[in-house]
Amino acid sequence: MSELYPMPQFSYEQVINVERKPEHCAVDHDQLVLETDLAQEELDNFFGTQIEDYRGDRNKIAAKMNEAAVDEVVYLQEGSPTELTQLEKDIPEACWKMGEIFNKVFKRRELDKAFAKAKDNHDSVEMDKISLEVDHLNIYSAEWQNQLVKMMFILEQTEEGKSFLQFYWEKFDELGQEILGNDPEEFKAIKNGALGLKASMEIFESQGWEAYMAFPEQDAIQKIDLWVKKGNNMLAVQIKSRASMMYLSGTKVDRYENPNGYSRDEAKEIRQRNLLLTSAREYDKLWRLKNPDLQVRAYWMLVSTSEVMYDQDPNTGKLFLPPDFTASKFAVELAALEGGPNGQAV
């Protein structure tokens, strides 16, 4: 986290706002059919003809798709008798901004190399500058992921929506191969992150917790992907999606760890857990001023993408949990966080 970027601070009321729960958004499905039909037609046209003009130049592809996102929102607004809702803007933006998301993979690689060089040169000013740029990049990516997850929650409710999501992921894969070439793990990881967030929300809600998407700044800067609430117990959740995981795992983070002596990847995750713990403690302190009974804790969640414990639709992200899920180790340990007879969380 860059010290130059202001520490995000959101009120309790902002975090648990119903708008952070995408499955409960009020929508006009006729409007959504119009939007997805238009998006599919325009994306088909782009991939069938226009992309040839930009092939091999990822910056031009991203710029053209960003322009199309703005144009489509304007077109939809001009044809609508009412002001577009945020969701109605999110859908075309989530579709077209995937070009910029892939472009940022390259930008992140360049920034990582530049940061390593600045670190070797003990150039703290340059390191701060790069860290701030990375923060902005991560905020953009987190905003897009939120738009995408909202889109999945809403479109999975109709057959037309499901069909569009299948089309969307086909174009997502096609664009990933176009921009990232023979390195499919990069864009698979991006998709798994979105599917992991959606799965996590459904898992928590299946166990009676209220799940709210974190603000992009909380995601990028404070390492909070998701907020979940049950009574006065709140968890600030960081989610990691792993194809290698054979089970679902959740751990309460209640102490700081020393990253020294670990591999680069392990040390990175330790630092993320430490930051997550700091963020949870700061919100606990802030929100208790108005609600002394509230308790905020940090929670580290590992979600399997191998579909061993549960099935997940690869297009809509819809989760299918086994009937005995409440007896699983994960569910039992999660239930223990709800609190004892006097309401005190354990």
Side-chain angles (χ1 to χ4, degrees):
M1 179 185 67
S2 168
E3 293 182 0
L4 300 177
Y5 196 95
M7 174 62 76
Q9 189 177 91
F10 294 88
S11 70
Y12 175 72
E13 290 75 19
Q14 286 176 300
V15 166
I16 64 165
N17 190 303
V18 69
E19 292 181 1
R20 312 306 299 172
K21 295 172 67 66
E23 71 272 35
H24 296 296
C25 291
V27 298
D28 181 336
H29 285 289
D30 289 337
Q31 174 69 19
L32 296 189
V33 170
L34 172 66
E35 292 207 18
T36 54
D37 283 349
L38 175 62
Q40 185 161 340
E41 179 182 348
E42 294 295 325
L43 282 169
D44 265 333
N45 178 59
F46 178 78
F47 281 93
T49 59
Q50 296 182 60
I51 201 170
E52 289 295 334
D53 298 331
Y54 310 102
R55 179 151 280 140
D57 191 331
R58 58 182 176 80
N59 289 315
K60 286 186 178 180
I61 291 175
K64 181 61 181 177
M65 295 188 78
N66 285 343
E67 180 185 324
V70 174
D71 290 346
E72 200 160 301
V73 171
V74 171
Y75 175 80
L76 289 164
Q77 184 59 76
E78 289 176 346
S80 174
T82 60
E83 182 69 22
L84 293 179
T85 66
Q86 187 56 54
L87 177 66
E88 289 163 352
K89 296 175 183 177
D90 282 335
I91 288 178
E93 289 181 357
C95 291
W96 288 102
K97 285 184 178 179
M98 62 173 134
E100 186 61 37
I101 290 299
F102 288 127
N103 197 23
K104 288 188 183 302
V105 171
F106 277 91
K107 291 181 181 180
R108 182 58 183 264
R109 290 174 182 169
E110 294 168 356
L111 290 172
D112 286 345
K113 292 177 182 177
F115 187 89
K117 182 178 179 180
K119 186 176 181 181
D120 290 341
N121 294 334
H122 306 288
D123 188 344
S124 59
V125 174
E126 183 66 13
M127 289 168 64
D128 280 343
K129 178 183 175 182
I130 295 169
S131 294
L132 183 59
E133 194 170 346
V134 169
D135 286 341
H136 284 294
L137 183 154
N138 289 340
I139 290 170
Y140 182 98
S141 298
E143 180 183 18
W144 172 81
Q145 180 174 262
N146 281 357
Q147 290 178 322
L148 180 56
V149 171
K150 281 195 285 185
M151 184 173 81
M152 287 192 287
F153 265 115
I154 299 303
L155 295 187
E156 72 178 4
Q157 299 176 24
T158 64
E159 291 304 316
E160 296 92 341
K162 292 176 185 177
S163 176
F164 176 78
L165 287 171
Q166 181 177 354
F167 163 84
Y168 175 84
W169 289 120
E170 289 172 356
K171 294 306 177 187
F172 183 88
D173 290 345
E174 186 176 336
L175 187 64
Q177 292 171 4
E178 175 69 34
I179 295 181
L180 300 180
N182 296 320
D183 190 5
E185 295 308 312
E186 291 274 15
F187 57 88
K188 285 182 180 178
I190 296 171
K191 178 179 181 180
N192 285 341
L195 292 174
L197 175 57
K198 188 171 187 295
S200 299
M201 295 185 76
E202 294 194 30
I203 288 167
F204 279 111
E205 292 192 337
S206 76
Q207 302 307 296
W209 292 72
E210 301 171 28
Y212 301 86
M213 291 191 301
F215 286 87
E217 295 84 355
Q218 292 175 323
D219 184 336
I221 311 302
Q222 297 173 312
K223 304 308 172 189
I224 302 171
D225 290 320
L226 183 66
W227 289 99
V228 296
K229 174 182 182 294
K230 200 166 193 179
N232 283 322
N233 295 312
M234 287 196 71
L235 302 179
V237 184
Q238 166 72 197
I239 303 162
K240 295 294 181 183
S241 300
R242 301 271 172 73
S244 59
M245 289 289 296
M246 300 300 290
Y247 56 90
L248 184 65
S249 173
T251 306
K252 179 175 63 173
V253 181
D254 54 12
R255 65 181 179 84
Y256 291 101
E257 304 168 73
N258 187 342
N260 294 334
Y262 288 88
S263 70
R264 179 182 177 182
D265 289 342
E266 290 173 326
K268 179 180 178 181
E269 290 203 350
I270 288 173
R271 286 191 289 270
Q272 289 178 344
R273 281 195 292 272
N274 288 344
L275 180 52
L276 175 67
L277 178 57
T278 296
S279 301
R281 287 179 173 178
E282 287 295 324
Y283 278 110
D284 183 75
K285 181 180 178 181
L286 174 66
W287 293 345
R288 276 179 185 256
L289 294 174
K290 288 187 177 180
N291 185 356
D293 294 327
L294 190 69
Q295 184 173 28
V296 180
R297 286 163 295 165
Y299 191 79
W300 186 264
M301 187 170 181
L302 298 177
V303 180
S304 170
T305 59
S306 59
E307 301 182 353
V308 173
M309 174 175 274
Y310 54 79
D311 292 324
Q312 185 176 25
D313 188 289
N315 297 316
T316 67
K318 181 67 177 177
L319 209 64
F320 302 95
L321 295 169
D324 60 348
F325 182 75
T326 54
S328 67
K329 183 175 184 289
F330 173 86
V332 171
E333 291 178 348
L334 179 63
L337 298 178
E338 296 174 17
N342 60 359
Q344 183 63 38
V346 296

